[in-house]
């Protein structure tokens, strides 16, 4: 019996020992190799991968992309546009360096074209209809590609057809104040106004004119505003330099609203409800036509009447007169009219976005979107193909890493090649309208690189203040073109800088307050954190308001490679910088967005508003205290969230805590949306970054409301100032609450 008991005890002990050993080694082995998802969830940006990316972005590849993209004119919905659609798809579907998926997304959109069978014309005619002068219909060709029959005649998209005829007057930039000044001494009824680009939007030059009885408008680019005064193509302008030759004409979309005009707030699909075309607003009510400065020179220098104000004078070697109306009695055009014959027509046509995706490995439902439009007015080497050529190189390098199994981003990356941007940001706006909910809920940030390179002096960046930090980080890692010992960041700070209370001297970034490119719908309509970056020129060396060949037949590969970026090293620098930002937004464990930088911008805006408005508002019994409290509350909340981020070991936190913080950062700008804040501004809901006509560096809605109230003196306009103060205060306070843990 004792023997059996001893044997039983020994067996039990043996079993227990084996169990302990198995448990010990099993647990040790298990704890030493956590499931792969645990490692994936905790992963952060791989700096060695960033370095590899930077080394592989190739300037020659970008050059060849641009050569391919500019072979033919590719205005939206033309055969050339379809050719670029297929080229983008081919590249993004490449088995060795393409994306996970690429497709085309079609929209039926309302566009405006000149009639090739009845070209628009501008003539000077006598009372007996003899033609004394005919404005050039097409630009003078200097290279073979400018002679392509698909080069569209210069025209004003969305100008109505018509045949106005009248005496000419000079209306400077076509601003409301310009027409008001003219109207003091001249009867504008039945006149034709000639205006120059700048100062007011394209459509506004005609919209502002119509109430005064003006029946037609011409618009030209003055050499003072684009060419630093140079005018001769014999030795001064293209093809000898980057300056605009005399026959160059800036085309453009003459409409105030972005997106498809017949389907407001709806994606323009085939069966979508469309408003009647007669109900469209924000387009010229009278015919308008752009012309070159060689013809503008002939017209303006023969004008009669009084001399225009000194600030209206341009580069022509004559006095700019206002017009009698009409021409000088001593000129060969005496008693003659200017006649516009405009044959534009509107048509609903199919336009495609080309979309591509790299799926995220950990958070595939979080999107970083990188976009640029594809369509151009003619060959579009700089606008937009500089941006498209950079995007294709960036996607090639990243796509190759994915195809080779060397990398997959934490979050999904969406590439968008938008269609019909030149007609008013149509492709990107329709995309945001179609996928409104999904994009609102899931998009981390939008990166826009449209014109990648205006010139090769320095970086230019605009965006929400929260992206400042990630742009700076990326710019510090990229060599400035031609300056291998200096970073893009260090070069940038020499050209444009400011003093930050938190950071000292830093590069000066701009804000996305208007609708200059495809970021508009993402910023103003969806409230998505966005940025727009490019390389640009030294503004101390030129007064050019934009690169001189903008929207003309001269924006070709020849122009880009000779005068904008020889060697394509500035394109390469933008590709490296934008790609670095993209990787950091897609791969960082905690999103690299900084709320304290946002607080600093709000504080700057508040100081300006207080200095400009507080005294007068107090006299109207309107308090700015709620706005001050809201901005202070936002600063406290931003500091709190910063502290949480910097004091936590987030790589070892639960994934839900990291996701919570990232959602606070991602959704911050959504808190500034108010769909009722700007009832007169289509598609504008972001109360901090809306466009403004007041010209003050402060909250746009408040500035505009104050300007109007001060001008009118009406009590209901002061009520609107109070209303907008409340909208603003509550939006900022609401954003502050987004940054704290619970209400």
């Amino acid at each position: 019996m004792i023997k059996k008991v001893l044997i039983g005890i020994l067996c039990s002990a043996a079993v227990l020992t084996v169990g302990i050993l198995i448990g010990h080694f099993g647990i040790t082995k298990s704890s030493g190799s956590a499931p792969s998802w645990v490692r994936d969830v905790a992963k952060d940006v791989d700096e060695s991968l960033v370095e590899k990316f930077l080394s592989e972005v190739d300037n020659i590849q970008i050059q060849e992309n641009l050569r391919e993209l500019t072979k033919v004119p590719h205005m939206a919905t033309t055969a050339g546009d379809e050719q670029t659609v297929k080229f983008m798809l081919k590249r993004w579907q490449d088995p060795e360096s393409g994306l996970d998926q690429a497709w085309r997304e079609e929209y039926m959109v309302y566009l405006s074209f000149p009639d090739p069978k009845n070209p628009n014309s501008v003539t000077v005619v006598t009372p007996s209809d003899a033609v004394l002068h005919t404005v050039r219909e097409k630009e003078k060709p200097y290279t073979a590609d400018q002679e392509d029959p698909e080069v569209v005649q210069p025209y004003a998209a969305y100008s109505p057809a018509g045949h106005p005829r009248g005496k000419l007057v000079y209306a400077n930039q076509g601003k409301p104040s310009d027409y008001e000044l003219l109207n003091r001494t001249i009867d504008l009824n039945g006149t034709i106004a000639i205006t120059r680009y700048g100062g007011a939007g394209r459509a506004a030059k005609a919209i502002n004119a119509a109430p005064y009885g003006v029946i037609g408008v011409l618009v030209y680019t003055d050499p003072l505003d684009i060419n630093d005064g140079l005018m001769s193509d014999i030795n001064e302008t293209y093809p000898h330099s980057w300056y605009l030759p005399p026959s160059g004409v800036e085309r453009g979309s003459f409409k105030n609203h972005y997106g498809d005009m017949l389907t407001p707030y709806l994606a323009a699909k085939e069966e979508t409800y469309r408003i009647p075309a007669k109900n469209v607003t924000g387009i010229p009510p009278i015919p308008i036509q752009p012309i070159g400065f060689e013809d503008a020179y002939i017209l303006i220098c023969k004008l009669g009447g009084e001399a225009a104000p000194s600030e209206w004078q341009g580069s022509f070697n004559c006095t700019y007169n206002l017009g009698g109306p009409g021409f000088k009695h001593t000129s060969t055009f005496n008693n003659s009219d200017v006649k516009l014959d405009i044959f534009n027509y509107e048509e609903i046509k199919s336009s495609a976005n080309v979309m591509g995706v790299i799926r995220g490995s950990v958070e595939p439902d979080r999107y970083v979107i990188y976009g640029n439009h594809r369509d151009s007015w003619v060959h579009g080497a700089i606008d937009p193909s500089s941006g498209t050529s950079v995007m294709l190189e960036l996607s090639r390098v990243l796509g190759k890493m994915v195809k080779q199994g060397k990398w997959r981003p934490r979050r999904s990356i969406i590439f968008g090649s938008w269609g019909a941007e030149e007609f008013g940001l149509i492709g990107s706006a329709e995309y945001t309208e179609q996928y409104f909910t999904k994009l609102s809920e899931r998009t981390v940030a939008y990166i826009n690189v449209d014109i990648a390179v205006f010139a090769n002096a320095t970086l230019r960046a605009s965006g929400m203040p929260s992206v400042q930090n990630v742009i700076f980080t990326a710019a510090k890692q990229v060599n400035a073109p031609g300056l291998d010992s200096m970073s893009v960041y260090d070069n940038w700070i020499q050209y444009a800088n400011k003093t930050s209370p938190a950071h000292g001297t830093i590069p000066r970034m701009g804000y996305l307050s208007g609708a200059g490119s495809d970021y508009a719908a993402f910023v103003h309509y969806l409230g998505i954190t966005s940025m727009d970056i490019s390389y640009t020129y030294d503004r101390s060396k030129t007064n050019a308001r934009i690169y001189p060949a903008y929207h003309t037949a001269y924006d070709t590969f020849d122009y880009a490679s000779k005068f904008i970026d020889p060697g394509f090293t500035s394109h390469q620098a933008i590709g490296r910088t934008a790609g670095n930002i993209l990787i950091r937004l897609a791969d960082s464990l905690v999103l690299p967005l900084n709320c304290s930088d946002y607080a600093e911008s709000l504080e700057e805006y508040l100081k300006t508003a207080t200095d400009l408005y507080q005294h007068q508002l107090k006299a109207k019994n309107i308090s700015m205290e709620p706005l001050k409290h809201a901005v202070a509350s936002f600063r406290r909340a931003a500091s709190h969230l910063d502290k949480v981020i910097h004091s936590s070991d987030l790589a070892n936190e639960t994934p839900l805590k990291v996701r919570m913080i990232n959602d606070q950062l991602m959704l911050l700008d959504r808190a500034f949306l108010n769909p009722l804040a700007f009832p007169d501004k289509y598609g504008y809901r972001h109360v901090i970054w809306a466009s403004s006509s007041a010209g003050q560096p402060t909250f746009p809605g408040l500035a505009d409301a104050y300007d109007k109230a001060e001008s009118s003196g009406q009590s209901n306009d002061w009520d609107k100032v109070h209303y907008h103060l409340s909208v603003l205060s509550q939006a900022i306070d609401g954003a502050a609450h987004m940054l704290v843990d619970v209400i």
Side-chain angles (χ1 to χ4, degrees):
M1 183 70 182
I2 293 172
K3 185 178 178 182
K4 286 182 179 180
V5 171
L6 288 172
I7 291 170
I9 291 170
L10 287 170
C11 287
S12 298
V15 169
L16 184 61
T17 302
V18 170
I20 290 170
L21 290 171
I22 290 171
H24 169 73
F25 287 110
I27 291 167
T28 302
K29 185 178 180 184
S30 171
S31 64
S33 58
S36 61
W37 65 264
V38 174
R39 292 195 303 276
D40 289 344
V41 162
K43 79 174 183 177
D44 208 342
V45 173
D46 181 349
E47 293 294 343
S48 66
L49 181 128
V50 172
E51 288 298 326
K52 179 175 171 55
F53 167 82
L54 296 177
S55 70
E56 292 192 9
V57 174
D58 187 348
N59 58 312
I60 302 305
Q61 289 273 3
I62 295 172
Q63 173 184 293
E64 294 312 305
N65 290 343
L66 191 69
R67 194 189 305 275
E68 183 66 32
L69 287 162
T70 55
K71 280 184 175 176
V72 296
H74 48 285
M75 188 168 69
T77 73
T78 63
D81 184 33
E82 178 62 20
Q83 196 170 308
T84 59
V85 167
K86 290 176 178 174
F87 177 61
M88 299 297 293
L89 282 171
K90 181 182 177 184
R91 290 290 298 274
W92 283 352
Q93 291 172 346
D94 186 279
E96 294 183 358
S97 60
L99 309 176
D100 290 327
Q101 190 181 357
W103 66 98
R104 60 191 295 159
E105 185 88 60
E106 303 281 347
Y107 300 97
M108 300 297 295
V109 301
Y110 183 66
L111 304 181
S112 164
F113 301 99
D115 185 348
K117 294 177 182 176
N118 292 296
N120 295 340
S121 68
V122 178
T123 51
V124 177
V125 294
T126 67
S128 61
D129 290 337
V131 175
L132 301 182
H133 179 73
T134 301
V135 166
R136 185 190 287 270
E137 288 180 5
K138 284 207 171 188
E139 292 141 305
K140 178 180 174 181
Y142 298 97
T143 61
D145 47 8
Q146 290 150 18
E147 297 186 79
D148 190 311
E150 292 303 310
V151 170
V152 70
Q153 178 198 7
Y155 76 111
Y158 301 107
S159 164
H163 307 277
R165 172 177 173 162
K167 296 289 187 281
L168 190 68
V169 294
Y170 172 55
N172 190 30
Q173 296 176 321
K175 303 188 297 288
S177 59
D178 295 334
Y179 289 112
E180 184 187 346
L181 187 148
L182 266 181
N183 194 52
R184 290 176 195 167
T185 56
I186 299 173
D187 180 5
L188 295 177
N189 271 304
T191 61
I192 305 291
I194 184 167
T195 64
R196 66 199 224 196
Y197 274 117
R202 296 187 190 101
K205 295 175 191 298
I207 293 171
N208 296 338
Y212 293 95
V214 176
I215 58 173
V217 176
L218 299 175
V219 59
Y220 77 100
T221 303
D222 197 283
L224 180 70
D225 304 320
I226 204 83
N227 274 10
D228 297 315
L230 300 178
M231 293 175 57
S232 171
D233 65 347
I234 296 172
N235 57 2
E236 293 177 334
T237 66
Y238 182 82
H240 309 285
S241 74
W242 82 323
Y243 289 118
L244 181 67
S247 69
V249 184
E250 179 184 319
R251 298 152 182 79
S253 174
F254 285 65
K255 58 183 272 221
N256 285 342
H257 307 322
Y258 63 83
D260 178 64
M261 291 189 292
L262 297 187
T263 58
Y265 299 114
L266 294 169
K269 291 298 187 177
E270 193 161 0
E271 301 301 324
T272 301
Y273 167 75
R274 286 171 169 78
I275 65 172
K278 63 182 172 58
N279 292 351
V280 166
T281 60
I283 59 173
I286 54 178
I288 182 168
Q289 174 72 13
I291 64 174
F293 68 74
E294 68 172 359
D295 285 302
Y297 175 83
I298 292 168
L299 297 175
I300 287 174
C301 287
K302 292 182 186 297
L303 273 176
E306 297 176 10
S310 58
E311 61 269 23
W312 289 26
Q313 300 296 319
S315 281
F316 300 151
N317 60 353
C318 66
T319 299
Y320 289 45
N321 293 328
L322 298 177
F327 300 105
K328 296 173 186 172
H329 297 305
T330 55
S331 84
T332 53
F333 293 171
N334 175 34
N335 203 31
S336 295
D337 293 333
V338 169
K339 185 168 186 270
L340 278 63
D341 288 295
I342 307 301
F343 298 94
N344 297 345
Y345 67 96
E346 293 74 44
E347 185 177 4
I348 295 174
K349 296 194 73 175
S350 178
S351 175
N353 290 341
V354 181
M355 308 301 301
V357 171
I358 298 176
R359 285 188 302 277
S361 59
V362 178
E363 301 179 81
D365 64 328
R366 290 292 178 260
Y367 312 145
V368 182
I369 305 177
Y370 184 112
N372 176 36
H373 69 102
R374 184 190 61 259
D375 66 302
S376 63
W377 283 114
V378 190
H379 291 86
I382 300 303
D383 181 13
S385 301
S386 63
T388 307
S389 61
V390 166
M391 179 163 64
L392 283 171
E393 174 59 4
L394 192 152
S395 63
R396 179 192 71 83
V397 175
L398 296 180
K400 188 177 175 185
M401 290 178 177
V402 170
K403 295 292 187 184
Q404 293 177 348
K406 294 178 179 177
W407 173 73
R408 183 163 288 281
R410 178 187 185 90
R411 302 176 185 92
S412 293
I413 296 172
I414 299 175
F415 289 100
S417 175
W418 315 120
E421 185 269 359
E422 294 294 7
F423 288 85
L425 318 181
I426 291 177
S428 55
E430 300 315 299
Y431 175 74
T432 60
E433 288 169 347
Q434 181 173 5
Y435 300 107
F436 176 88
T437 304
K438 185 162 71 170
L439 296 176
S440 296
E441 296 293 327
R442 299 179 178 180
T443 307
V444 166
Y446 174 66
I447 302 169
N448 194 69
V449 182
D450 179 347
I451 298 174
V453 179
F454 289 83
N456 54 9
T458 183
L459 187 71
R460 180 173 78 176
S462 299
M464 272 74 159
S466 52
V467 302
Q468 173 181 284
N469 181 59
V470 69
I471 294 174
F472 288 176
T473 299
K476 287 173 182 176
Q477 290 185 293
V478 178
N479 289 334
L483 302 166
D484 285 346
S485 61
M486 181 180 284
S487 69
V488 164
Y489 177 91
D490 290 333
N491 182 55
W492 181 15
I493 209 170
Q494 293 182 349
Y495 285 91
N497 58 66
K498 61 177 257 187
T499 301
S500 157
H503 309 298
T505 303
I506 56 173
R508 179 179 292 276
M509 276 185 49
Y511 297 134
L512 300 176
S513 54
S517 188
D518 288 300
Y519 54 75
F522 292 93
V523 172
H524 304 305
Y525 186 49
L526 295 184
I528 288 169
T529 303
S530 301
M531 70 189 79
D532 182 75
I533 65 173
S534 59
Y535 233 73
T536 191
Y537 42 86
D538 181 351
R539 292 189 176 271
S540 70
K541 294 182 178 177
T542 176
N543 290 322
R545 65 181 177 86
I546 197 166
Y547 73 97
Y550 174 70
H551 286 190
T552 73
Y554 307 112
D555 189 357
T556 60
F557 181 83
D558 177 71
Y559 180 82
S561 59
K562 284 182 182 174
F563 302 116
I564 298 293
D565 188 22
F568 288 82
T569 53
S570 294
H571 284 76
Q572 183 182 42
I574 283 294
R576 286 170 167 167
T577 306
N580 192 342
I581 294 166
L582 178 62
I583 291 169
R584 291 182 183 282
L585 286 166
D587 268 0
S588 292
L589 177 65
V590 178
L591 290 172
L593 303 175
N594 189 303
C595 297
S596 291
D597 289 339
Y598 218 129
E600 190 174 294
S601 291
L602 294 178
E603 288 161 353
E604 288 174 2
Y605 266 22
L606 175 64
K607 183 181 186 308
T608 302
T610 303
D611 292 345
L612 290 173
Y613 312 136
Q614 182 168 260
H615 179 73
Q616 179 76 335
L617 290 179
K618 191 174 182 180
K620 297 289 181 183
N621 204 27
I622 301 171
S623 173
M624 290 188 71
E625 291 306 307
L627 181 58
K628 294 178 183 177
H629 289 312
V631 172
S633 175
F634 187 93
R635 166 59 78 179
R636 288 193 299 273
S639 299
H640 166 74
L641 186 58
D642 274 356
K643 187 176 179 182
V644 169
I645 292 170
H646 294 131
S647 64
S648 304
D649 181 10
L650 293 172
N652 292 310
E653 283 282 1
T654 65
L656 287 177
K657 180 169 182 179
V658 178
R659 179 84 164 195
M660 180 186 76
I661 290 170
N662 282 339
D663 282 355
Q664 289 174 292
L665 294 167
M666 177 182 82
L667 297 172
L668 171 61
D669 271 291
R670 314 296 197 274
F672 292 113
L673 296 180
N674 184 320
L676 303 178
F678 307 107
D680 299 328
K681 293 186 178 191
Y682 177 82
Y684 283 86
R685 308 194 305 158
H686 199 302
V687 302
I688 310 297
W689 309 123
S691 63
S692 169
S693 58
Q696 300 290 354
T698 187
F699 305 108
L702 176 61
D704 285 353
Y706 182 91
D707 257 23
K708 185 176 181 184
E710 193 177 43
S711 172
S712 74
Q714 300 292 318
S715 61
N716 63 329
D717 283 335
W718 287 110
D719 289 342
K720 288 176 183 175
V721 175
H722 191 178
Y723 169 76
H724 205 88
L725 258 174
S726 298
V727 166
L728 195 54
S729 303
Q730 293 188 19
I732 295 171
D733 199 50
H737 281 283
M738 284 287 293
L739 303 181
V740 295
D741 297 342
V742 290
I743 194 163

